[in-house]
Amino acid sequence: MNFSIDRSPLLEALQKVQSVVEKKNTIQILGNILCSVKDQELSLCATDLEVGIKVNLPVDTLQEGKITLSAKHFLDIVKELPEKKLQITTKDNSWIELVCGKSRFNIVSLPADQYPSLPAFEDKPYFDARTDALIDMIDRTEFAASTDATRYHINGVYFEYLDNSLMRMTATDGHRLSFVDQEVFLKNPELKRGVIIPKKGLNEFRKLLDEGCENIGLSFERGYLFAKLNASYLFIRLIDGEYPDYRPVIPKSSDRLVKLDRQEFNSALKRVSLLANEKSRGVKLAIQGGSVVISSSNPDMGEAREELDVEYNGDPLEIGFNSKYLLECLSVMKADKLEFHLKDRLSPGILHEEGQKNHTYVIMPMRI
């Protein structure tokens, strides 16, 4: 193998694929990047067997071939090189020579035939999806997904087709639930059942969406989600399992409606939660008339109390919540005003942005 390539596009591609490489791998070759040169194109591939990425780059090819190089060392070297062309050549005994200006490196590689086979990316039926809609859906749900390894079927977000061209993304950890409805596809794929996208795959997918393109191609095939954006491809192995029916958790009715300022509520919660119990993070909301009193108490540290002006006409209510769960939701909401729908101190609360019903956040109360 013998080819030359400019440093900048190579560095950008290496940074993109390196994040997929398994950091604590038990299989040595998974710490490497597969480099394939064919015609006038270099393909960089990385996988941890659950997520895989491929980036294609134009090169000046003198000799085709395949090698694998340590992802960390390859990236570290290219980072420090001057802004010039690189020449990469295979030598005897699986050594690779990298020359850039007056810099010369000889690097050990592992044979490409030891690298796990990756699915074909190019020959899929890709459906155009709006990147802005997907970014919004991921940001509003991913934080609520479970991290409990024993409940693997909720260790990701659930992506399903509703009707009227709407898609829904849902995440829950059993204590809170966040779901968003959006029109995503320009032409809807045949998605007969919902799919569960794991958190790591979703994080890599989210990075791909940040490239600023209006649309991204998505394809669903035999337990995988494939994504295509310009010359970058991603595959995610979907979680195999039934996502729990979350709909019964959503309260059908709520007698009390509190309207409050998002930023004021967020700031007050942050202050009061400083003295909350470090394990439960519990805060109490005492709602009465046109105000809500937020309070926390910790025998080892003290007490905190703050009062906010709100719009509320219902009966007095005291209810406890985990402040961390409230703050994480508030951090992804954008509207100035929020609607907090409550029934009683034992029933889940529902948070909406005023005038917007496409994002629903359900949070279970706690005894304080």
Side-chain angles (χ1 to χ4, degrees):
M1 187 173 76
N2 188 344
F3 68 93
S4 61
I5 184 172
D6 291 326
R7 173 188 173 272
S8 288
L10 177 61
L11 177 60
E12 189 180 323
L14 285 173
Q15 287 170 330
K16 195 182 293 185
V17 300
Q18 200 262 351
S19 65
V20 171
V21 174
E22 184 60 56
K23 307 299 184 291
K24 299 176 182 176
N25 62 77
T26 52
I27 306 170
Q28 184 184 1
I29 202 157
L30 292 183
N32 283 20
I33 292 173
L34 175 65
C35 309
S36 309
V37 177
K38 189 173 182 183
D39 298 328
Q40 298 299 310
E41 190 173 71
L42 166 67
S43 296
L44 298 174
C45 300
T47 184
D48 65 354
L49 303 181
E50 300 299 319
V51 182
I53 191 168
K54 177 181 179 182
V55 181
N56 295 330
L57 297 166
V59 293
D60 295 325
T61 305
L62 294 175
Q63 184 181 354
E64 297 180 351
K66 290 183 178 182
I67 55 165
T68 78
L69 291 171
S70 162
K72 182 181 184 305
H73 293 145
F74 195 11
L75 176 60
D76 287 346
I77 290 168
V78 174
K79 247 186 215 173
E80 301 305 326
L81 291 174
E83 198 57 65
K84 294 181 179 178
K85 265 197 181 298
L86 284 77
Q87 190 75 34
I88 297 178
T89 313
T90 51
K91 298 291 189 181
D92 296 334
N93 300 322
S94 299
W95 285 79
I96 307 299
E97 184 181 67
L98 190 156
V99 179
C100 181
K102 295 183 179 180
S103 301
R104 185 181 298 268
F105 296 85
N106 282 297
I107 315 165
V108 176
S109 72
L110 289 173
D113 57 12
Q114 291 181 15
Y115 205 78
S117 59
L118 299 174
F121 292 95
E122 284 85 354
D123 58 350
K124 310 291 178 197
Y126 286 97
F127 292 83
D128 284 339
R130 292 169 43 222
T131 55
D132 60 339
L134 288 165
I135 286 170
D136 185 62
M137 294 173 91
I138 293 169
D139 289 350
R140 290 174 182 267
T141 54
E142 186 267 343
F143 69 91
S146 174
T147 54
D148 182 352
T150 63
R151 308 180 70 191
Y152 72 97
H153 54 293
I154 56 173
N155 285 177
V157 301
Y158 187 54
F159 193 49
E160 62 182 321
Y161 176 71
L162 297 180
D163 51 27
N164 300 322
S165 299
L166 280 178
M167 301 295 296
R168 173 174 288 180
M169 199 172 275
T170 305
T172 185
D173 61 3
H175 304 290
R176 60 325 195 1
L177 167 76
S178 188
F179 64 87
V180 188
D181 301 339
Q182 289 264 26
E183 284 190 22
V184 174
F185 292 100
L186 307 188
K187 178 189 173 187
N188 283 317
E190 286 189 20
L191 200 59
K192 293 175 182 173
R193 50 174 288 187
V195 297
I196 310 171
I197 308 171
K199 287 188 82 165
K200 178 177 179 180
L202 198 70
N203 289 334
E204 296 302 327
F205 182 50
R206 177 67 179 80
K207 290 175 193 171
L208 203 59
L209 294 171
D210 273 336
E211 292 191 13
C213 293
E214 193 174 319
N215 296 321
I216 186 170
L218 296 184
S219 182
F220 302 87
E221 186 179 288
R222 294 194 303 275
Y224 288 96
L225 165 63
F226 293 89
K228 172 189 175 185
L229 188 65
N230 299 326
S232 300
Y233 296 85
L234 184 76
F235 83 78
I236 303 167
R237 189 192 294 272
L238 301 170
I239 293 175
D240 183 18
E242 276 303 314
Y243 201 77
D245 185 6
Y246 58 87
R247 288 172 175 83
V249 176
I250 305 165
K252 300 294 182 288
S253 63
S254 51
D255 308 339
R256 299 172 167 91
L257 171 61
V258 185
K259 290 188 178 183
L260 34 75
D261 183 275
R262 178 179 60 85
Q263 288 187 328
E264 285 182 2
F265 187 39
N266 188 58
S267 299
L269 268 176
K270 281 182 177 176
R271 288 189 288 269
V272 172
S273 65
L274 293 173
L275 294 187
N277 180 286
E278 290 182 11
K279 189 175 180 182
S280 71
R281 311 299 302 164
V283 296
K284 185 189 291 182
L285 307 185
I287 310 158
Q288 184 171 4
S291 72
V292 56
V293 174
I294 309 170
S295 60
S296 65
S297 177
N298 184 337
D300 299 325
M301 298 175 69
E303 298 176 348
R305 180 184 184 278
E306 187 150 345
E307 185 172 343
L308 291 179
D309 293 331
V310 298
E311 293 178 41
Y312 180 67
N313 296 316
D315 297 331
L317 173 68
E318 285 193 358
I319 187 168
F321 290 108
N322 182 313
S323 59
K324 177 177 177 282
Y325 295 161
L326 281 173
L327 287 167
E328 285 182 339
C329 173
L330 295 177
S331 70
V332 300
M333 289 184 160
K334 297 166 185 150
D336 293 333
K337 291 283 186 183
L338 300 180
E339 295 180 353
F340 208 165
H341 299 263
L342 301 164
K343 187 176 183 182
D344 54 51
R345 64 187 184 87
L346 299 177
S347 299
I350 299 178
L351 264 174
H352 283 295
E353 291 170 290
E354 189 177 48
Q356 298 179 40
K357 300 296 184 188
N358 70 314
H359 178 206
T360 300
Y361 187 70
V362 182
I363 178 167
M364 300 297 290
M366 59 187 296
R367 296 179 187 275
I368 295 179

